[in-house]
Amino acid sequence: MRKIRRSAGRHCGGDGAIEKIEIGQHYDTTYGTLWKDGTYYPRGTRVLVTGLHIEQGFCVRFPAEVDGEPLETWEDWDEVEFLAAEGSVESGGALPVNVLDEAREVLDDAEDGCHLHLHEGDE
């Protein structure tokens, strides 16, 4: 079963580890992100950190716009493993239809702008 977590700078280890998160720096995502509107970004997507907040976490900008506005979200600090050094994560592929269908069912009841992190390989 894949691990699905709903999401609303610490040190992280392993390959592609980042020592700190910096505003204005690009990073690779370490797992896929499915938005309520159905848009899916695979692991390895290049994102930009646009903000840091002690309580809210870090703000990530995805490579898209919605209604002319950048697609951004705040990630909790416990999601810091979501980011890796730019160029260190091999891009993920398409997910099985049944996994996307299950994730979409979870998002059907969520507020607009919500998203899920889909961890590939946690089957």
Side-chain angles (χ1 to χ4, degrees):
M1 178 80 180
R2 258 175 227 281
K3 184 176 180 183
I4 298 176
R5 290 193 303 187
R6 186 182 309 211
S7 178
R10 294 187 172 99
H11 179 274
C12 60
D15 291 341
I18 55 176
E19 294 294 323
K20 62 183 176 178
I21 297 174
E22 294 185 43
I23 295 173
Q25 293 295 314
H26 287 94
Y27 298 91
D28 289 348
T29 60
T30 58
Y31 34 88
T33 305
L34 176 68
W35 290 83
K36 182 172 178 158
D37 70 0
T39 305
Y40 177 71
Y41 294 95
R43 82 179 139 78
T45 297
R46 184 176 182 238
V47 295
L48 175 69
V49 171
T50 60
L52 301 172
H53 190 277
I54 291 173
E55 293 177 11
Q56 288 181 290
F58 53 98
C59 188
V60 176
R61 180 178 294 167
F62 283 80
E65 291 186 356
V66 176
D67 297 327
E69 296 293 323
L71 179 60
E72 293 183 339
T73 185
W74 283 94
E75 297 290 346
D76 293 332
W77 285 117
D78 62 357
E79 294 287 337
V80 72
E81 72 276 1
F82 179 60
L83 299 177
E86 187 177 12
S88 68
V89 178
E90 185 176 324
S91 182
L95 292 175
V97 172
N98 64 323
V99 172
L100 287 175
D101 287 344
E102 179 184 347
R104 285 187 180 110
E105 285 180 28
V106 171
L107 284 174
D108 282 344
D109 295 330
E111 296 176 22
D112 287 344
C114 284
H115 61 284
L116 295 175
H117 291 161
L118 304 172
H119 300 251
E120 299 174 27
D122 290 343
E123 298 183 22

